[in-house]
């Protein structure tokens, strides 16, 4: 291939243009799309980071809540946004991984249409039962399931949530047959466990910690690799005898594919810095979110690829679908 002066000049201008854009960025407010309603855990995370990010960048970060279809509406809108650095979004294991296996047409390809900026934190789930349930351990609960194959019920906040996928993984790792009962919202699914309408549930730790401490729910195990600081007496699922069982629902930030690398690098550095601020870590811990060590955009993108490789076969084997 022969490089002409015109080609070299065009390439040089492109580099200069990208650098100039990055140096001038941001020159106006940045929109942050959030796939959940105001007040949800993810929304709280987004607003904490938006406030601090606005301070460091010198521009307002406008949080835009877009709900519906398990987060596919918001994430698809993020993927379609101009790649100019003025639209970013909160993403999670649910929107970047689970939805790809649950929806025939989610409206975006997480690896082609989006670029990860950073992963900030993770939330583990906790296996809960009613205080009236005689099960005291995970082994007790599995014995109940084996005694009545396909009859033991577990609730969730909807098809495709981490609560649902946690139940699917439990079936695959133990060989038990459970019956999934999806509710329209997480609180209703949790209340169903407390009332004994369903036998069990696997919900985000921060959403049930109050009921557990109040004696209205009983915690049998947590789904994280190590014990939760919120529930130090609850064993992990692995400690409880379920091999290779770990579910940590991560969340982070992404931009449309094609955003200039200097902008992505700047956002990554700022988000990593913000995630280490004592006041931010305190707020996140208050939501039950364990902050993760700072990482590069490449590491965040690798997490998405690895999770897709892990979970898509599991979702397919389960037959779960959100359509």
């Amino acid at each position: 291939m022969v490089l002409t002066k015109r080609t070299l000049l065009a390439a040089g201008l492109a580099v200069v243009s990208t650098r100039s854009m990055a140096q001038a960025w941001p020159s106006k407010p940045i929109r942050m799309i959030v796939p959940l309603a105001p007040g949800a855990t993810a929304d709280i995370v987004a607003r904490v980071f938006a406030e601090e990010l606005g301070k460091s960048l010198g521009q307002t970060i406008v949080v835009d809540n877009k709900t519906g279809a398990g987060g596919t509406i918001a994430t698809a809108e993020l993927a379609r946004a101009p790649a100019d650095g003025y639209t970013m979004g909160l993403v999670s294991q649910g929107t970047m991984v689970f939805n790809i296996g649950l929806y025939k047409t989610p409206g975006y390809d997480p690896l082609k249409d989006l670029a990860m900026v950073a992963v900030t934190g993770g939330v583990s789930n906790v296996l809960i039962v009613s205080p009236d349930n005689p099960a005291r351990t995970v082994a007790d609960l599995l014995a109940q399931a084996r005694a009545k194959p396909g009859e033991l019920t577990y609730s969730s906040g909807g098809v495709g949530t981490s609560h649902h996928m946690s139940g699917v993984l439990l079936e695959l790792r133990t060989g038990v047959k459970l019956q999934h009962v999806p509710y329209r919202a997480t609180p209703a699914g949790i209340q169903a466990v407390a009332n004994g309408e369903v036998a069990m549930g696997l919900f985000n730790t921060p959403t049930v910690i109050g009921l557990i401490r109040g004696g209205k729910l009983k915690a049998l195990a947590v789904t994280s690799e190590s014990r939760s600081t919120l529930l130090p007496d609850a064993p992990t699922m692995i400690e409880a005898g379920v091999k290779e069982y770990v579910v940590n629902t991560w969340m982070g930030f992404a931009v449309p594919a094609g955003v200039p690398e200097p902008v992505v690098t700047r956002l990554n550095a700022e988000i990593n810095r913000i995630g280490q601020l004592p006041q931010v870590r305190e707020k996140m811990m208050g939501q039950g979110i364990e902050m993760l060590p700072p990482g590069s955009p490449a590491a965040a993108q690798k997490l998405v690829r690895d999770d897709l490789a892990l979970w898509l076969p599991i979702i397919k084997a389960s037959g779960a679908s959100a359509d």
Side-chain angles (χ1 to χ4, degrees):
M1 177 180 175
V2 178
L3 296 178
T4 64
K5 289 183 179 180
R6 181 177 295 178
T7 301
L8 292 171
L9 178 60
L13 289 174
V15 171
V16 171
S17 176
T18 299
R19 287 177 178 170
S20 299
M21 183 269 184
Q23 290 171 355
W25 178 90
S27 60
K28 61 181 181 180
I30 296 170
R31 179 188 179 208
M32 180 185 288
I33 301 175
V34 179
L36 289 171
T41 299
D43 174 69
I44 294 171
V45 173
R47 291 179 186 277
V48 168
F49 274 85
E51 181 181 358
E52 295 295 336
L53 192 58
K55 293 177 185 176
S56 60
L57 296 179
Q59 289 289 345
T60 301
I61 311 297
V62 181
V63 175
D64 186 3
N65 298 90
K66 294 283 183 178
T67 62
T72 58
I73 292 174
T75 312
E77 186 165 331
L78 174 63
R80 293 193 301 266
D84 57 6
Y86 289 97
T87 305
M88 61 185 297
L90 186 81
V91 294
S92 66
Q93 186 180 46
T95 57
M96 297 292 278
V97 180
F98 294 162
N99 283 351
I100 307 307
L102 292 165
Y103 290 85
K104 291 181 180 178
T105 54
Y108 56 91
D109 183 318
L111 298 179
K112 294 180 180 179
D113 300 331
L114 295 160
M116 288 295 297
V117 173
V119 176
T120 56
V123 181
S124 63
N125 290 342
V126 54
L127 176 57
I128 53 171
V129 296
S130 163
D132 296 330
N133 192 313
R136 298 177 61 84
T137 65
V138 174
D140 292 341
L141 194 63
L142 294 177
Q144 291 179 11
R146 293 190 176 99
K148 297 180 179 180
E151 294 184 28
L152 202 72
T153 53
Y154 73 97
S155 61
S156 77
V159 174
T161 58
S162 68
H163 333 132
H164 177 201
M165 292 298 102
S166 292
V168 168
L169 187 61
L170 184 60
E171 288 184 287
L172 292 175
R173 292 289 188 258
T174 63
V176 302
K177 298 298 180 183
L178 304 172
Q179 183 179 341
H180 176 222
V181 183
Y183 285 75
R184 290 188 176 182
T186 296
I190 294 170
Q191 195 59 46
V193 180
N195 294 340
E197 294 173 21
V198 295
M200 55 179 280
L202 288 137
F203 287 90
N204 293 161
T205 304
T207 63
V208 295
I209 188 67
L211 292 173
I212 292 171
R213 290 173 176 169
K216 296 182 179 180
L217 286 172
K218 186 164 52 177
L220 300 187
V222 292
T223 65
S224 47
E225 290 181 279
S226 57
R227 294 198 179 198
S228 170
T229 54
L230 296 175
L231 293 168
D233 294 331
T236 66
M237 292 291 281
I238 293 175
E239 287 177 329
V242 184
K243 295 180 179 180
E244 298 181 13
Y245 190 104
V246 176
V247 178
N248 275 321
T249 306
W250 54 263
M251 60 186 67
F253 296 94
V255 293
V259 169
E261 185 177 349
V263 173
V264 175
T265 300
R266 173 82 185 280
L267 279 172
N268 172 265
E270 294 294 350
I271 290 170
N272 282 337
R273 181 188 62 80
I274 291 167
Q276 300 306 305
L277 295 174
Q279 66 268 29
V280 170
R281 296 181 72 85
E282 183 178 350
K283 288 179 182 177
M284 294 301 97
M285 183 58 71
Q287 294 299 315
I289 296 170
E290 310 240 356
M291 299 302 293
L292 299 176
S296 66
Q301 200 76 6
K302 182 178 184 300
L303 175 63
V304 175
R305 286 197 303 270
D306 291 347
D307 256 12
L308 285 168
L310 170 66
W311 281 101
L312 291 188
I314 291 174
I315 295 171
K316 183 177 180 180
S318 75
S321 174
D323 291 312

